[in-house]
């Protein structure tokens, strides 16, 4: 492969991510458990919004660790960077950073013993950069994914990132989207929950090759029922890596290499409908190369290509340069060759890691603030929160010493609430004993209690996304 082609494909991967997240941003988590109908608008100037998108700047901070510490950086070193980050986070990412700040180091920060969001989508949306820097080298991609992904995820949450980065690695040499999805699947254990959902998508695509909505319906019926995230438990909201990863595959398979069609399907599938088209379009951008992306979608990039993404040291041009440099180093390290004009890549076959899975007891009830199981003591006030995703009520502790008691029988409880920088700390007691760490999701081993480390409690969900 010429070095010019390598750069064009790297550039296409980053551009595809930017286009996908900008295309889907207006619909993020506004359609849960149903297909998005109606017109999906695109204007070239929408690309400017990607400068402030967590879908991009979080993964770039991991890239910065590689560029400063080196490609041999450890999981603990990635965790140290994450611990000190200043941007807002949600779900597995937020849980990991809270753990890291409590002294729970990576990789345990992403382990289900401490992070009930371990199967959430977070690493899946942050693994793109790994695939873009490992052209034709899925084993190398898995090596880096294993180091980075364990900061915030485990099991199927980790496999989501391996699946996505494996597809990117394949896209440098494949031109058939189905084969790209198949090679991504070969990078993870087929018997895992994630492996099974992607196998189902491939099987249903064979059975219904022109009807993506039928495949979407089958996915909904089989796989949208056991999301362990407390925010989505017993609600249509689902931030599970598996279901959202299936929507990436859905877009690639039924998009058939057409850029707009791929964007439309992965977005219309709903749920995290900016992250999913971001990865789908990123993979397609590598396959096609930057110059082959339709002009209507990339025409807005030159105006912002030298503007740095929030919280990072990279502009679009700088992250492309950084990625190409890392890719060439990885190619040489894998036994390849880099000359002044070309790279010779020793293309690898995907190899899946050992199987790891976890699943706590499924939730059975969701209780609101007025349920008699709650008892409020001290200074509490009721507050309604309004966000683009909807509104909900929560109880706000307005003075130190306020107490909230929740009585239940069972193997675990999740207390869901809002969290803010001005919030206070809360001590948590379970069965009369103070809990030293409040994120313990191994329900089959011992009782678990999930509580926010701010003194706010309520019963509604807070999806991840931009504030």
């Amino acid at each position: 492969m010429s070095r010019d082609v390598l750069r064009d494909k790297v550039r296409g991967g980053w551009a595809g991510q930017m286009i996908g997240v900008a295309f889907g941003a207006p619909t993020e988590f506004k359609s849960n458990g149903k297909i998005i109908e109606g017109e999906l608008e695109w204007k070239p100037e929408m690309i400017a919004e990607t400068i402030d998108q967590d879908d991009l700047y979080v993964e770039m901070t991991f890239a910065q660790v590689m560029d400063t510490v080196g490609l041999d950086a450890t999981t603990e070193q990635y965790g140290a960077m994450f611990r000190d980050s200043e941007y807002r986070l949600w779900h597995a990412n937020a849980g990991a950073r809270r753990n890291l700040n409590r002294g729970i180091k990576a990789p345990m920060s992403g382990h289900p013993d401490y992070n009930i969001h371990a199967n959430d989508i977070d690493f899946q949306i942050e693994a793109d950069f790994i695939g873009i820097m490992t052209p034709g080298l899925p084993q190398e991609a898995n090596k880096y994914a294993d180091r980075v992904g364990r900061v915030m995820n485990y099991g199927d949450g980790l496999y989501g990132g391996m699946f996505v980065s494996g597809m990117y690695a394949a896209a440098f040499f494949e031109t058939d989207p189905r084969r790209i999805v198949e090679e991504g699947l070969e990078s993870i254990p087929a018997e895992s929950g994630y492996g099974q959902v992607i196998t189902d998508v491939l099987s249903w695509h064979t059975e219904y090759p022109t009807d993506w909505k039928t495949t979407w319906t089958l996915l909904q019926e089989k796989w949208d029922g056991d999301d362990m995230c407390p925010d989505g438990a017993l609600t249509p909201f689902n931030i599970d890596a598996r279901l959202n990863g299936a929507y990436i595959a859905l877009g690639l398979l039924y998009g058939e290499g057409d850029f707009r069609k791929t964007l439309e399907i992965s977005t219309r599938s709903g749920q995290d409908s900016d992250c999913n088209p971001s990865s789908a379009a990123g993979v397609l951008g590598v396959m096609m190369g930057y110059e082959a992306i339709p002009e209507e979608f990339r025409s807005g990039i030159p105006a912002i290509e030298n503007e740095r993404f929030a919280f990072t040291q990279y502009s679009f041009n700088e992250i492309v340069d950084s990625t190409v440099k890392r890719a060439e180093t990885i190619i040489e390290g894998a036994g390849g060759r880099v000359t002044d004009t070309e790279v010779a890549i020793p293309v690898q076959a995907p190899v899946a890691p050992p199987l790891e899975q976890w699943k706590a007891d499924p939730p059975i009830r969701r209780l609101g603030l007025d349920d008699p199981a709650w008892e409020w003591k001290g200074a509490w006030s009721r507050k309604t929160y309004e966000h683009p995703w909807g509104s909900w009520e929560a109880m706000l502790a307005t003075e130190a010493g306020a107490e909230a008691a929740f009585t239940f029988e069972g193997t675990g409880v999740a207390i869901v609430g809002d969290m803010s920088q001005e919030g206070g700390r809360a001590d948590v007691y379970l069965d009369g004993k103070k809990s030293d760490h409040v994120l313990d999701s191994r329900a089959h081993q011992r009782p678990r209690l999930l509580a926010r480390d701010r003194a706010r409690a309520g019963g509604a969900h807070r999806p991840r996304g931009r504030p």
Side-chain angles (χ1 to χ4, degrees), residues 193-422:
Y194 202 109
Q196 292 174 46
V197 71
I198 301 302
T199 298
D200 279 346
V201 177
L202 286 163
S203 176
W204 291 328
H205 176 248
T206 299
E207 191 171 355
Y208 308 102
T210 62
D211 186 0
W212 74 267
K213 291 185 177 180
T214 292
T215 297
W216 182 95
T217 300
L218 293 168
L219 283 167
Q220 177 73 13
E221 292 172 351
K222 182 174 180 179
W223 290 102
D224 189 18
D226 59 354
D227 181 12
M228 286 306 302
C229 169
D231 297 322
L234 305 176
T235 76
F237 172 77
N238 190 317
I239 200 163
D240 174 59
R242 296 173 302 180
L243 185 66
N244 285 281
Y247 295 158
I248 298 172
L250 201 68
L252 286 167
L253 292 170
Y254 286 93
E256 299 176 317
D258 181 279
F259 200 83
R260 175 175 279 277
K261 192 175 178 183
T262 299
L263 284 172
E264 291 255 354
I265 294 172
S266 52
T267 300
R268 291 188 185 281
S269 294
Q271 299 290 355
D272 205 339
S273 59
D274 62 342
C275 297
N276 301 331
S278 181
S279 292
V283 170
L284 200 58
V286 168
M287 188 188 87
M288 301 170 67
Y290 180 81
E291 294 299 330
I293 294 174
E295 174 67 16
E296 66 172 311
F297 290 108
R298 60 182 171 89
S299 61
I301 293 179
I304 62 163
E305 63 184 6
N306 292 313
E307 184 176 348
R308 287 190 169 175
F309 292 89
F311 306 101
T312 81
Q313 64 179 16
Y314 302 108
S315 65
F316 172 69
N317 283 333
E318 287 169 328
I319 194 63
V320 169
D321 289 344
S322 165
T323 304
V324 169
K325 184 177 179 180
R326 270 181 274 115
E328 290 177 346
T329 300
I330 290 169
I331 289 167
E332 290 181 321
R337 186 179 71 257
V338 178
T339 72
D340 290 341
T341 58
E342 65 182 13
V343 292
I345 301 171
V347 176
Q348 299 171 338
V351 176
L355 177 69
E356 62 179 38
Q357 299 279 267
W358 79 278
K359 185 176 180 181
D361 291 344
I364 58 173
R365 297 181 66 194
R366 190 177 188 94
L367 305 177
L369 300 175
D370 294 322
D371 193 276
W374 283 105
E375 180 182 359
W376 309 96
K377 295 180 181 180
W380 290 90
S381 65
R382 199 167 186 130
K383 182 176 180 179
T384 299
Y385 288 87
E386 299 285 350
H387 287 278
W389 310 284
S391 63
W392 60 86
E393 288 190 324
M395 294 294 281
L396 173 66
T398 56
E399 294 179 8
E403 295 183 8
F406 183 80
T407 303
F408 75 99
E409 291 183 0
T411 59
V413 62
I415 310 299
V416 182
D418 199 31
M419 188 177 75
S420 69
Q421 294 301 319
E422 64 271 16

Side-chain angles (χ1 to χ4, degrees), residues 1 9 131 134-136 164-176 179-181 183 252 282-289:
M1 177 184 295
K9 286 181 173 292
T134 52
V164 166
S165 59
M167 288 196 295
Y168 274 100
F172 280 88
F173 293 98
E174 291 290 345
T175 57
D176 177 5
R179 185 58 196 144
I180 288 172
V181 174
E183 290 200 30
L252 286 167
V283 170
L284 200 58
V286 168
M287 188 188 87
M288 301 170 67

